[in-house]
Amino acid sequence: MENLPAFLAEEFALNTNQTFFITGKAGTGKTTLLKKIMALGDKKTVVVAPTGVAAINAGGVTIHSLFGFPLKAFVPTLEPTDANLANNIPMLVSHLKYRKDKKNLLEKLQRLIIDEISMVRSDMLDAIDTKKTLP
């Protein structure tokens, strides 16, 4: 019976398009479950993490690497911002220049798995969300 929650999470991940979080203490098998979902799933999936170490452990890349985000903070506004402190939407758009293969990957992406989500700054989620709505 102890594998039931993992089984339900696996089934949910493989058979829905819903956003969900997998939580648990260290060593409970979250990354193992993530890798199983990757192996069994038929959706175009990318795994990202906020740090290089977490990305390597999860078999993915960093959020900044996948999306090509600048290292400064992001403010989801059209209002002017101090370029030394943060990027706004127009600044982010002007920074995002994708090669054809990266653009193709992002356009066909069906599932984004973010490992170590608790370490991700809220502005990174705003930037991902903003990127999703850009042409």
Side-chain angles (χ1 to χ4, degrees):
M1 237 4 215
E2 60 191 49
N3 287 334
L4 186 59
F7 171 77
L8 291 175
E10 178 184 320
E11 287 298 309
F12 191 82
L14 295 174
N15 297 305
T16 72
N17 289 322
Q18 298 297 311
T19 300
F20 67 99
F21 291 87
I22 298 172
T23 62
K25 295 180 182 178
T28 57
K30 297 179 300 292
T31 302
T32 301
L33 176 61
L34 176 154
K35 290 179 181 179
K36 189 171 184 184
I37 291 167
M38 288 285 297
L40 296 175
D42 60 349
K43 294 180 181 176
K44 303 238 184 283
T45 306
V46 173
V47 176
V48 296
T51 66
V53 171
I56 290 168
N57 288 341
V61 297
T62 65
I63 294 169
H64 284 83
S65 175
L66 176 65
F67 291 104
F69 290 150
L71 296 178
K72 288 185 245 172
F74 173 70
V75 181
T77 182
L78 296 172
E79 299 298 317
T81 59
D82 183 342
N84 294 315
L85 300 176
N87 292 296
N88 60 13
I89 293 172
M91 295 162 82
L92 179 67
V93 170
S94 70
H95 181 84
L96 300 178
K97 307 276 191 255
Y98 297 125
R99 295 184 322 262
K100 190 174 184 177
D101 57 337
K102 176 75 69 104
K103 188 174 182 178
N104 189 36
L105 170 74
L106 292 173
E107 286 172 353
K108 294 185 178 182
L109 185 64
Q110 294 174 300
R111 180 187 295 133
L112 177 67
I113 297 175
I114 305 174
D115 197 26
E116 299 291 349
I117 187 68
S118 64
M119 295 174 56
V120 178
R121 296 186 334 247
S122 61
D123 68 309
M124 285 292 92
L125 295 176
D126 287 337
I128 291 169
D129 193 47
T130 299
K131 168 60 190 112
K132 188 174 65 173
T133 61
L134 297 174

